[in-house]
Amino acid sequence: MNSRRNFIKKTAIASAGISMISGSALGAMTTANDPKLRLAFIGVGLRGTNHLQNSLLRKDIEVTAICDIDPKRIKIALQKIEDAGLKKPKVFGDSEYDYRNLLELDEVDAVIIATPWLWHTKMAVDSMKAGKYTGLEVSAANTLEECWDLVNTHETTGSHLMILENVNYRRDVLAVLNMVKQNVFGELVHFRCGYQHDLRKVKFNNGLQPYGGGVEFGEKALSEAKWRTNHSVLRNGDVYPTHGVGPIATLCDINRGNRFISLTSNATKAIGLHNYIVKNGGKEHQNSKIKFKQGDVITTTIETAKGETIIVTHDCNLPRPYSLGFRVQGANGLWEVDGNRIYIEGKSKPHKWDTADEWLKKYDHPLWKKHGQYATGSGHGGMDFFVLNAFVESAKQNIAPPLDAYDAAAWSAITPLSEASIENNGAPQDFPDFTRGLWIKRKPYNWNKNTY
Ligand SMILES: NC(=O)c1ccc[n+]([C@@H]2O[C@H](COP(=O)([O-])OP(=O)(O)OC[C@H]3O[C@@H](n4cnc5c(N)ncnc54)[C@H](O)[C@@H]3O)[C@@H](O)[C@H]2O)c1
Protein backbone atom coordinates (compact mmCIF):
# COMPACT_ATOMS: atom_id res chain seq x y z
CA MET A 1 0.00 0.00 0.00
CA ASN A 2 2.91 2.27 0.73
CA SER A 3 4.26 2.05 -2.77
CA ARG A 4 0.75 2.67 -4.08
CA ARG A 5 0.52 5.88 -2.07
CA ASN A 6 3.94 6.96 -3.36
CA PHE A 7 2.84 6.21 -6.88
CA ILE A 8 -0.23 8.39 -6.48
CA LYS A 9 1.85 11.20 -4.97
CA LYS A 10 4.35 10.99 -7.85
CA THR A 11 1.46 11.02 -10.30
CA ALA A 12 -0.04 14.17 -8.83
CA ILE A 13 3.31 15.96 -9.06
CA ALA A 14 4.12 14.82 -12.57
CA SER A 15 0.66 15.22 -14.10
CA ALA A 16 1.12 18.95 -14.67
CA GLY A 17 3.90 18.26 -17.16
CA ILE A 18 2.16 15.88 -19.57
CA SER A 19 3.13 16.69 -23.12
CA MET A 20 2.09 15.27 -26.46
CA ILE A 21 3.87 14.29 -29.62
CA SER A 22 1.85 14.82 -32.79
CA GLY A 23 0.87 11.82 -34.86
CA SER A 24 -2.08 9.58 -35.48
CA ALA A 25 -0.89 6.45 -33.68
CA LEU A 26 -2.55 5.63 -30.43
CA GLY A 27 0.73 5.71 -28.56
CA ALA A 28 1.61 9.20 -29.60
CA MET A 29 -0.55 10.80 -26.94
CA THR A 30 1.71 9.71 -24.10
CA THR A 31 5.42 10.19 -23.59
CA ALA A 32 8.16 8.36 -21.73
CA ASN A 33 8.11 11.14 -19.13
CA ASP A 34 4.52 10.43 -18.10
CA PRO A 35 4.01 8.75 -14.74
CA LYS A 36 3.62 5.04 -15.35
CA LEU A 37 0.71 2.92 -14.30
CA ARG A 38 1.95 -0.56 -13.43
CA LEU A 39 -0.71 -2.70 -15.01
CA ALA A 40 -1.43 -6.43 -14.85
CA PHE A 41 -3.75 -8.57 -16.93
CA ILE A 42 -5.81 -11.49 -15.70
CA GLY A 43 -7.03 -13.30 -18.81
CA VAL A 44 -5.20 -12.67 -22.08
CA GLY A 45 -7.64 -14.39 -24.39
CA LEU A 46 -9.06 -12.45 -27.32
CA ARG A 47 -10.33 -9.48 -25.32
CA GLY A 48 -7.47 -9.31 -22.83
CA THR A 49 -5.05 -9.32 -25.75
CA ASN A 50 -6.92 -6.37 -27.36
CA HIS A 51 -6.45 -4.38 -24.15
CA LEU A 52 -2.83 -5.54 -23.90
CA GLN A 53 -2.07 -4.43 -27.46
CA ASN A 54 -3.56 -1.00 -26.83
CA SER A 55 -1.68 -0.76 -23.54
CA LEU A 56 1.64 -1.55 -25.22
CA LEU A 57 1.18 1.54 -27.41
CA ARG A 58 0.97 3.81 -24.38
CA LYS A 59 4.10 5.11 -22.78
CA ASP A 60 2.36 5.68 -19.46
CA ILE A 61 1.79 1.95 -18.88
CA GLU A 62 4.26 -0.66 -17.73
CA VAL A 63 2.84 -4.18 -17.99
CA THR A 64 4.28 -5.82 -14.89
CA ALA A 65 2.38 -9.12 -14.77
CA ILE A 66 0.09 -11.31 -16.86
CA CYS A 67 -1.97 -14.34 -15.92
CA ASP A 68 -3.78 -16.93 -18.02
CA ILE A 69 -4.34 -20.65 -17.47
CA ASP A 70 -3.85 -21.28 -21.20
CA PRO A 71 -0.10 -21.39 -21.98
CA LYS A 72 -0.82 -20.66 -25.66
CA ARG A 73 -2.36 -17.32 -24.72
CA ILE A 74 0.58 -16.51 -22.44
CA LYS A 75 2.96 -17.22 -25.30
CA ILE A 76 1.07 -14.87 -27.64
CA ALA A 77 0.98 -12.12 -24.99
CA LEU A 78 4.70 -12.45 -24.20
CA GLN A 79 5.55 -12.30 -27.89
CA LYS A 80 3.59 -9.07 -28.27
CA ILE A 81 5.38 -7.54 -25.29
CA GLU A 82 8.76 -8.63 -26.64
CA ASP A 83 7.91 -7.29 -30.12
CA ALA A 84 7.11 -3.95 -28.50
CA GLY A 85 10.63 -3.97 -27.04
CA LEU A 86 9.34 -3.98 -23.48
CA LYS A 87 10.45 -5.78 -20.34
CA LYS A 88 9.12 -9.29 -19.75
CA PRO A 89 6.35 -9.23 -17.11
CA LYS A 90 5.94 -11.77 -14.32
CA VAL A 91 3.83 -14.68 -15.52
CA PHE A 92 1.06 -16.53 -13.65
CA GLY A 93 -1.46 -19.20 -14.58
CA ASP A 94 -0.28 -22.49 -13.10
CA SER A 95 -3.73 -23.00 -11.62
CA GLU A 96 -7.13 -21.33 -11.71
CA TYR A 97 -6.33 -19.42 -8.52
CA ASP A 98 -2.78 -18.43 -9.41
CA TYR A 99 -4.16 -14.94 -10.17
CA ARG A 100 -4.22 -14.43 -6.38
CA ASN A 101 -0.41 -14.60 -6.38
CA LEU A 102 -0.34 -11.92 -9.06
CA LEU A 103 -2.56 -9.75 -6.86
CA GLU A 104 0.02 -9.94 -4.07
CA LEU A 105 2.64 -8.19 -6.19
CA ASP A 106 3.62 -4.78 -4.96
CA GLU A 107 4.59 -3.78 -8.49
CA VAL A 108 0.97 -3.93 -9.67
CA ASP A 109 -1.14 -0.76 -9.29
CA ALA A 110 -4.04 -1.74 -11.50
CA VAL A 111 -5.52 -4.88 -13.01
CA ILE A 112 -7.59 -5.59 -16.11
CA ILE A 113 -9.74 -8.71 -15.83
CA ALA A 114 -10.88 -10.27 -19.12
CA THR A 115 -11.81 -13.83 -18.20
CA PRO A 116 -15.01 -15.88 -18.65
CA TRP A 117 -18.08 -14.42 -16.90
CA LEU A 118 -18.15 -16.84 -13.98
CA TRP A 119 -14.73 -15.59 -12.87
CA HIS A 120 -15.49 -11.88 -13.07
CA THR A 121 -16.84 -11.05 -9.63
CA LYS A 122 -14.56 -13.45 -7.77
CA MET A 123 -11.47 -11.94 -9.39
CA ALA A 124 -12.67 -8.34 -9.10
CA VAL A 125 -13.45 -8.78 -5.41
CA ASP A 126 -10.01 -10.31 -4.77
CA SER A 127 -8.38 -7.54 -6.77
CA MET A 128 -10.13 -4.75 -4.86
CA LYS A 129 -9.29 -6.46 -1.56
CA ALA A 130 -5.64 -6.48 -2.65
CA GLY A 131 -5.88 -2.69 -3.10
CA LYS A 132 -5.63 -2.75 -6.88
CA TYR A 133 -7.48 -0.34 -9.14
CA THR A 134 -9.69 -2.82 -10.98
CA GLY A 135 -10.98 -2.85 -14.56
CA LEU A 136 -13.54 -5.54 -15.27
CA GLU A 137 -14.82 -6.71 -18.63
CA VAL A 138 -18.53 -7.03 -19.33
CA SER A 139 -20.82 -8.28 -17.89
CA ALA A 140 -19.56 -7.80 -14.37
CA ALA A 141 -21.72 -10.26 -12.42
CA ASN A 142 -24.01 -13.24 -12.87
CA THR A 143 -26.23 -13.11 -9.76
CA LEU A 144 -27.67 -10.40 -7.51
CA GLU A 145 -25.41 -11.63 -4.74
CA GLU A 146 -22.39 -11.03 -6.97
CA CYS A 147 -23.68 -7.55 -7.83
CA TRP A 148 -23.79 -6.76 -4.11
CA ASP A 149 -20.33 -8.31 -3.64
CA LEU A 150 -18.89 -5.77 -6.10
CA VAL A 151 -20.56 -2.81 -4.38
CA ASN A 152 -19.82 -3.99 -0.84
CA THR A 153 -16.17 -4.71 -1.61
CA HIS A 154 -15.73 -1.33 -3.26
CA GLU A 155 -17.27 0.37 -0.22
CA THR A 156 -15.37 -1.57 2.43
CA THR A 157 -11.95 -1.47 0.74
CA GLY A 158 -12.17 1.95 -0.91
CA SER A 159 -10.66 0.36 -4.03
CA HIS A 160 -12.20 1.47 -7.29
CA LEU A 161 -13.86 -0.74 -9.87
CA MET A 162 -14.46 0.32 -13.45
CA ILE A 163 -16.71 -1.73 -15.69
CA LEU A 164 -14.94 -1.64 -19.07
CA GLU A 165 -18.01 -0.93 -21.21
CA ASN A 166 -16.50 0.29 -24.45
CA VAL A 167 -19.83 1.05 -26.17
CA ASN A 168 -20.30 3.99 -23.79
CA TYR A 169 -17.49 5.57 -25.82
CA ARG A 170 -18.90 4.95 -29.31
CA ARG A 171 -18.78 8.15 -31.32
CA ASP A 172 -22.52 8.29 -32.12
CA VAL A 173 -23.43 7.34 -28.54
CA LEU A 174 -21.30 10.17 -27.12
CA ALA A 175 -22.67 12.65 -29.69
CA VAL A 176 -26.20 11.69 -28.63
CA LEU A 177 -25.18 12.07 -24.98
CA ASN A 178 -24.02 15.56 -25.90
CA MET A 179 -27.40 16.24 -27.52
CA VAL A 180 -29.19 14.94 -24.42
CA LYS A 181 -27.11 17.16 -22.14
CA GLN A 182 -27.93 20.16 -24.36
CA ASN A 183 -31.62 19.24 -24.13
CA VAL A 184 -32.06 18.73 -27.89
CA PHE A 185 -34.45 15.80 -27.34
CA GLY A 186 -36.23 17.55 -24.44
CA GLU A 187 -37.34 15.63 -21.38
CA LEU A 188 -36.45 11.97 -21.91
CA VAL A 189 -39.23 9.40 -22.15
CA HIS A 190 -38.21 6.14 -23.83
CA PHE A 191 -35.14 4.17 -24.93
CA ARG A 192 -34.36 1.02 -26.87
CA CYS A 193 -31.11 -0.88 -27.02
CA GLY A 194 -29.73 -4.38 -26.98
CA TYR A 195 -27.15 -6.86 -28.08
CA GLN A 196 -28.27 -8.04 -31.50
CA HIS A 197 -25.32 -9.93 -32.88
CA ASP A 198 -25.26 -13.26 -34.71
CA LEU A 199 -22.84 -15.12 -32.44
CA ARG A 200 -23.40 -18.60 -33.82
CA LYS A 201 -19.85 -18.88 -35.14
CA VAL A 202 -18.49 -17.55 -31.86
CA LYS A 203 -20.57 -20.02 -29.86
CA PHE A 204 -19.34 -22.96 -31.97
CA ASN A 205 -15.71 -22.05 -32.52
CA ASN A 206 -13.50 -25.04 -33.30
CA GLY A 207 -11.02 -22.77 -35.00
CA LEU A 208 -11.95 -24.31 -38.34
CA GLN A 209 -12.25 -20.88 -39.91
CA PRO A 210 -10.73 -17.55 -38.86
CA TYR A 211 -13.97 -16.59 -37.11
CA GLY A 212 -15.13 -19.91 -35.74
CA GLY A 213 -16.87 -22.68 -37.56
CA GLY A 214 -17.80 -26.24 -36.61
CA VAL A 215 -20.48 -27.21 -34.12
CA GLU A 216 -18.50 -28.00 -30.96
CA PHE A 217 -18.37 -26.03 -27.74
CA GLY A 218 -16.91 -26.59 -24.27
CA GLU A 219 -13.56 -28.33 -23.91
CA LYS A 220 -13.27 -29.18 -27.61
CA ALA A 221 -13.67 -25.55 -28.65
CA LEU A 222 -11.75 -22.28 -28.63
CA SER A 223 -12.14 -18.93 -26.89
CA GLU A 224 -15.74 -17.97 -26.00
CA ALA A 225 -17.16 -21.23 -27.35
CA LYS A 226 -15.33 -22.90 -24.47
CA TRP A 227 -17.53 -21.19 -21.86
CA ARG A 228 -20.12 -18.80 -23.30
CA THR A 229 -22.25 -21.38 -25.13
CA ASN A 230 -22.98 -23.27 -21.93
CA HIS A 231 -24.85 -20.21 -20.67
CA SER A 232 -27.21 -20.64 -23.65
CA VAL A 233 -27.73 -24.29 -22.71
CA LEU A 234 -28.52 -23.58 -19.06
CA ARG A 235 -29.89 -20.05 -18.71
CA ASN A 236 -32.93 -18.32 -20.12
CA GLY A 237 -32.19 -14.65 -19.59
CA ASP A 238 -30.38 -11.67 -21.06
CA VAL A 239 -26.82 -12.76 -20.29
CA TYR A 240 -25.15 -9.80 -22.03
CA PRO A 241 -27.05 -6.59 -21.32
CA THR A 242 -24.33 -3.98 -20.85
CA HIS A 243 -23.36 -3.05 -24.44
CA GLY A 244 -26.92 -1.79 -24.89
CA VAL A 245 -27.92 -0.67 -21.45
CA GLY A 246 -24.58 0.89 -20.43
CA PRO A 247 -24.87 3.83 -22.84
CA ILE A 248 -28.59 4.28 -22.10
CA ALA A 249 -27.98 4.20 -18.34
CA THR A 250 -25.47 7.01 -18.76
CA LEU A 251 -27.88 9.03 -20.91
CA CYS A 252 -30.60 8.87 -18.27
CA ASP A 253 -28.34 9.26 -15.21
CA ILE A 254 -28.89 5.85 -13.62
CA ASN A 255 -27.47 5.82 -10.06
CA ARG A 256 -26.99 9.59 -10.34
CA GLY A 257 -30.42 11.16 -9.97
CA ASN A 258 -32.31 8.24 -11.47
CA ARG A 259 -32.38 4.48 -11.03
CA PHE A 260 -33.72 1.26 -12.47
CA ILE A 261 -36.90 0.37 -10.55
CA SER A 262 -38.15 -2.89 -12.06
CA LEU A 263 -38.17 -5.02 -15.19
CA THR A 264 -40.23 -7.58 -17.01
CA SER A 265 -38.70 -10.06 -19.48
CA ASN A 266 -40.04 -12.46 -22.06
CA ALA A 267 -38.23 -15.02 -24.17
CA THR A 268 -39.12 -16.61 -27.48
CA LYS A 269 -38.58 -20.28 -28.21
CA ALA A 270 -35.02 -21.46 -28.77
CA ILE A 271 -34.42 -22.77 -32.29
CA GLY A 272 -31.42 -20.84 -33.63
CA LEU A 273 -28.52 -22.77 -32.16
CA HIS A 274 -30.17 -26.16 -32.79
CA ASN A 275 -30.81 -25.29 -36.44
CA TYR A 276 -27.21 -24.14 -36.80
CA ILE A 277 -25.89 -27.45 -35.47
CA VAL A 278 -28.16 -29.50 -37.74
CA LYS A 279 -27.20 -27.39 -40.76
CA ASN A 280 -23.45 -27.54 -40.12
CA GLY A 281 -22.96 -30.83 -38.26
CA GLY A 282 -25.91 -32.91 -39.45
CA LYS A 283 -28.95 -34.29 -37.61
CA GLU A 284 -26.88 -37.16 -36.26
CA HIS A 285 -24.35 -34.93 -34.52
CA GLN A 286 -24.62 -35.43 -30.76
CA ASN A 287 -24.97 -31.68 -30.14
CA SER A 288 -28.19 -31.65 -32.19
CA LYS A 289 -29.83 -33.42 -29.22
CA ILE A 290 -29.08 -30.55 -26.84
CA LYS A 291 -32.08 -28.58 -25.60
CA PHE A 292 -30.96 -24.95 -25.42
CA LYS A 293 -32.69 -23.05 -22.65
CA GLN A 294 -31.97 -19.49 -23.80
CA GLY A 295 -34.75 -18.05 -25.96
CA ASP A 296 -33.48 -16.71 -29.27
CA VAL A 297 -34.92 -13.23 -28.72
CA ILE A 298 -35.22 -11.98 -25.16
CA THR A 299 -37.07 -8.72 -24.60
CA THR A 300 -36.78 -6.85 -21.33
CA THR A 301 -38.64 -3.68 -20.38
CA ILE A 302 -37.12 -1.61 -17.58
CA GLU A 303 -38.93 1.16 -15.71
CA THR A 304 -36.88 3.99 -14.24
CA ALA A 305 -37.55 6.21 -11.23
CA LYS A 306 -38.03 9.19 -13.57
CA GLY A 307 -40.83 7.43 -15.47
CA GLU A 308 -38.88 6.35 -18.57
CA THR A 309 -39.00 2.89 -20.11
CA ILE A 310 -36.04 1.06 -21.69
CA ILE A 311 -36.56 -1.92 -23.98
CA VAL A 312 -33.46 -4.14 -24.00
CA THR A 313 -33.12 -6.95 -26.55
CA HIS A 314 -30.78 -9.95 -26.50
CA ASP A 315 -30.72 -11.54 -29.96
CA CYS A 316 -27.58 -13.61 -30.64
CA ASN A 317 -28.69 -17.02 -31.92
CA LEU A 318 -30.36 -16.24 -35.26
CA PRO A 319 -28.97 -15.00 -38.59
CA ARG A 320 -29.00 -11.20 -38.59
CA PRO A 321 -26.72 -8.20 -39.22
CA TYR A 322 -25.21 -6.56 -36.14
CA SER A 323 -27.06 -3.73 -34.43
CA LEU A 324 -27.30 -2.44 -30.88
CA GLY A 325 -30.70 -1.04 -31.85
CA PHE A 326 -30.41 2.26 -30.01
CA ARG A 327 -33.38 4.63 -29.79
CA VAL A 328 -33.39 7.70 -27.58
CA GLN A 329 -36.72 9.51 -27.41
CA GLY A 330 -37.77 12.66 -25.63
CA ALA A 331 -40.47 15.32 -25.62
CA ASN A 332 -38.94 17.02 -28.72
CA GLY A 333 -37.90 14.10 -30.90
CA LEU A 334 -35.76 11.00 -31.22
CA TRP A 335 -32.64 9.25 -32.55
CA GLU A 336 -32.78 5.77 -34.04
CA VAL A 337 -29.53 4.05 -34.89
CA ASP A 338 -31.25 1.62 -37.29
CA GLY A 339 -31.91 3.83 -40.28
CA ASN A 340 -29.36 6.35 -38.97
CA ARG A 341 -32.06 8.96 -38.42
CA ILE A 342 -33.10 11.78 -36.18
CA TYR A 343 -36.30 13.79 -35.90
CA ILE A 344 -36.48 16.99 -33.85
CA GLU A 345 -39.79 18.87 -33.81
CA GLY A 346 -39.45 22.41 -35.13
CA LYS A 347 -36.04 21.63 -36.69
CA SER A 348 -36.79 18.66 -38.97
CA LYS A 349 -39.44 18.88 -41.69
CA PRO A 350 -42.76 17.84 -40.07
CA HIS A 351 -43.10 14.03 -39.97
CA LYS A 352 -39.85 13.55 -41.96
CA TRP A 353 -36.63 12.01 -40.72
CA ASP A 354 -33.27 13.76 -41.05
CA THR A 355 -30.27 11.55 -41.70
CA ALA A 356 -28.44 11.46 -38.38
CA ASP A 357 -25.05 12.34 -39.91
CA GLU A 358 -25.33 16.15 -39.77
CA TRP A 359 -26.68 16.10 -36.22
CA LEU A 360 -24.01 13.70 -34.99
CA LYS A 361 -21.31 15.80 -36.63
CA LYS A 362 -22.64 19.01 -35.11
CA TYR A 363 -22.76 17.47 -31.63
CA ASP A 364 -19.55 15.42 -31.94
CA HIS A 365 -18.45 14.91 -28.35
CA PRO A 366 -15.47 16.87 -26.98
CA LEU A 367 -13.82 13.56 -26.07
CA TRP A 368 -13.85 12.43 -29.69
CA LYS A 369 -12.75 15.84 -30.90
CA LYS A 370 -9.83 15.65 -28.52
CA HIS A 371 -8.75 12.03 -28.85
CA GLY A 372 -10.33 10.81 -32.10
CA GLN A 373 -7.02 10.82 -33.98
CA TYR A 374 -5.32 8.68 -31.33
CA ALA A 375 -8.19 6.22 -31.22
CA THR A 376 -7.61 5.11 -34.82
CA GLY A 377 -6.90 1.41 -35.03
CA SER A 378 -7.57 0.67 -31.37
CA GLY A 379 -10.43 -1.73 -32.10
CA HIS A 380 -14.24 -1.61 -32.24
CA GLY A 381 -14.20 1.62 -34.25
CA GLY A 382 -11.93 3.46 -31.81
CA MET A 383 -13.99 3.03 -28.67
CA ASP A 384 -11.50 0.55 -27.17
CA PHE A 385 -9.00 3.38 -26.96
CA PHE A 386 -11.41 5.55 -24.98
CA VAL A 387 -12.42 2.91 -22.45
CA LEU A 388 -8.77 2.03 -21.76
CA ASN A 389 -7.84 5.71 -21.62
CA ALA A 390 -10.58 6.46 -19.08
CA PHE A 391 -9.45 3.49 -16.98
CA VAL A 392 -5.76 4.42 -17.10
CA GLU A 393 -6.27 8.13 -16.42
CA SER A 394 -8.62 7.40 -13.50
CA ALA A 395 -6.27 4.74 -12.11
CA LYS A 396 -3.23 7.02 -12.35
CA GLN A 397 -5.01 9.51 -10.07
CA ASN A 398 -6.79 6.80 -8.04
CA ILE A 399 -10.11 8.61 -8.49
CA ALA A 400 -13.59 7.27 -9.12
CA PRO A 401 -13.93 6.04 -12.71
CA PRO A 402 -16.70 7.24 -15.04
CA LEU A 403 -18.36 3.79 -15.00
CA ASP A 404 -18.18 2.52 -11.45
CA ALA A 405 -19.10 -0.36 -9.12
CA TYR A 406 -22.72 0.86 -8.83
CA ASP A 407 -23.02 0.92 -12.62
CA ALA A 408 -21.46 -2.54 -12.86
CA ALA A 409 -24.00 -3.85 -10.34
CA ALA A 410 -27.13 -2.17 -11.72
CA TRP A 411 -26.41 -3.07 -15.35
CA SER A 412 -25.37 -6.65 -14.60
CA ALA A 413 -28.44 -7.20 -12.37
CA ILE A 414 -30.50 -7.36 -15.56
CA THR A 415 -29.21 -10.90 -16.11
CA PRO A 416 -30.55 -12.57 -12.94
CA LEU A 417 -33.67 -10.39 -12.88
CA SER A 418 -34.53 -11.24 -16.49
CA GLU A 419 -34.04 -14.94 -15.71
CA ALA A 420 -36.42 -14.65 -12.75
CA SER A 421 -39.00 -12.77 -14.79
CA ILE A 422 -38.92 -15.23 -17.69
CA GLU A 423 -39.18 -18.13 -15.24
CA ASN A 424 -42.34 -16.50 -13.83
CA ASN A 425 -44.17 -15.76 -17.08
CA GLY A 426 -42.91 -12.18 -17.35
CA ALA A 427 -43.64 -11.20 -13.74
CA PRO A 428 -42.10 -7.85 -12.68
CA GLN A 429 -38.84 -8.02 -10.73
CA ASP A 430 -37.58 -5.18 -8.54
CA PHE A 431 -34.01 -3.91 -8.90
CA PRO A 432 -32.11 -3.61 -5.63
CA ASP A 433 -30.98 -0.05 -4.97
CA PHE A 434 -27.24 -0.66 -5.04
CA THR A 435 -26.56 2.95 -3.99
CA ARG A 436 -28.65 2.50 -0.80
CA GLY A 437 -30.56 5.70 -1.49
CA LEU A 438 -27.58 7.78 -2.60
CA TRP A 439 -28.81 7.86 -6.21
CA ILE A 440 -31.02 10.74 -5.10
CA LYS A 441 -28.08 13.03 -4.41
CA ARG A 442 -25.26 11.59 -6.52
CA LYS A 443 -24.42 14.04 -9.30
CA PRO A 444 -24.21 12.90 -12.95
CA TYR A 445 -20.67 12.29 -14.15
CA ASN A 446 -19.52 15.35 -16.07
CA TRP A 447 -18.69 13.91 -19.49
CA ASN A 448 -18.05 17.32 -21.02
CA LYS A 449 -15.71 18.63 -18.34
CA ASN A 450 -13.58 15.54 -17.95
CA THR A 451 -11.01 14.93 -20.62
CA TYR A 452 -10.98 11.13 -20.55
N1 LIG B 1 -16.16 -5.17 -24.49
C1 LIG B 1 -16.07 -5.90 -25.60
O1 LIG B 1 -16.22 -5.42 -26.71
C2 LIG B 1 -15.78 -7.37 -25.46
C3 LIG B 1 -15.43 -8.12 -26.57
C4 LIG B 1 -15.13 -9.46 -26.40
C5 LIG B 1 -15.22 -10.02 -25.14
N2 LIG B 1 -15.57 -9.28 -24.07
C6 LIG B 1 -15.64 -9.85 -22.72
O2 LIG B 1 -14.30 -10.12 -22.32
C7 LIG B 1 -14.26 -11.30 -21.52
C8 LIG B 1 -13.28 -12.31 -22.14
O3 LIG B 1 -13.76 -12.66 -23.42
P1 LIG B 1 -12.78 -13.28 -24.53
O4 LIG B 1 -13.48 -13.15 -25.82
O5 LIG B 1 -11.43 -12.72 -24.38
O6 LIG B 1 -12.78 -14.80 -24.07
P2 LIG B 1 -11.56 -15.82 -24.22
O7 LIG B 1 -12.12 -17.16 -23.88
O8 LIG B 1 -10.90 -15.63 -25.55
O9 LIG B 1 -10.54 -15.36 -23.09
C9 LIG B 1 -10.70 -15.64 -21.73
C10 LIG B 1 -9.33 -16.02 -21.19
O10 LIG B 1 -9.43 -16.21 -19.78
C11 LIG B 1 -8.56 -17.31 -19.44
N3 LIG B 1 -8.96 -17.83 -18.14
C12 LIG B 1 -10.02 -18.60 -17.83
N4 LIG B 1 -10.03 -18.89 -16.51
C13 LIG B 1 -8.93 -18.29 -15.98
C14 LIG B 1 -8.38 -18.23 -14.66
N5 LIG B 1 -8.96 -18.82 -13.62
N6 LIG B 1 -7.22 -17.55 -14.48
C15 LIG B 1 -6.61 -16.95 -15.53
N7 LIG B 1 -7.07 -16.98 -16.79
C16 LIG B 1 -8.23 -17.64 -17.01
C17 LIG B 1 -8.75 -18.28 -20.59
O11 LIG B 1 -7.70 -19.20 -20.66
C18 LIG B 1 -8.81 -17.34 -21.78
O12 LIG B 1 -7.55 -17.14 -22.38
C19 LIG B 1 -15.69 -11.78 -21.45
O13 LIG B 1 -16.27 -11.28 -20.30
C20 LIG B 1 -16.36 -11.17 -22.65
O14 LIG B 1 -17.73 -11.00 -22.48
C21 LIG B 1 -15.85 -7.95 -24.22
Side-chain angles (χ1 to χ4, degrees), residues 45-47 68 96 116-117 120 137-138 166 223-224 227 240:
L46 293 185
R47 186 63 182 152
D68 200 296
E96 287 188 319
W117 299 331
H120 280 188
E137 258 306 333
V138 298
N166 47 349
S223 190
E224 295 198 0
W227 52 270
Y240 208 53

Side-chain angles (χ1 to χ4, degrees), residues 42-48 50-51 67-70 73 93 95-99 113-117 119-120 123 137-139 164-167 222-228 240 243 380 383-384:
I42 304 178
V44 281
L46 293 185
R47 186 63 182 152
N50 289 155
H51 286 307
C67 175
D68 200 296
I69 50 171
D70 181 348
R73 298 307 310 179
S95 71
E96 287 188 319
Y97 286 91
D98 203 16
Y99 74 88
I113 299 166
T115 48
W117 299 331
W119 282 103
H120 280 188
M123 289 171 167
E137 258 306 333
V138 298
S139 266
L164 300 174
E165 183 42 81
N166 47 349
V167 182
L222 292 178
S223 190
E224 295 198 0
K226 252 191 189 338
W227 52 270
R228 185 179 192 134
Y240 208 53
H243 286 329
H380 289 112
M383 60 197 186
D384 286 355

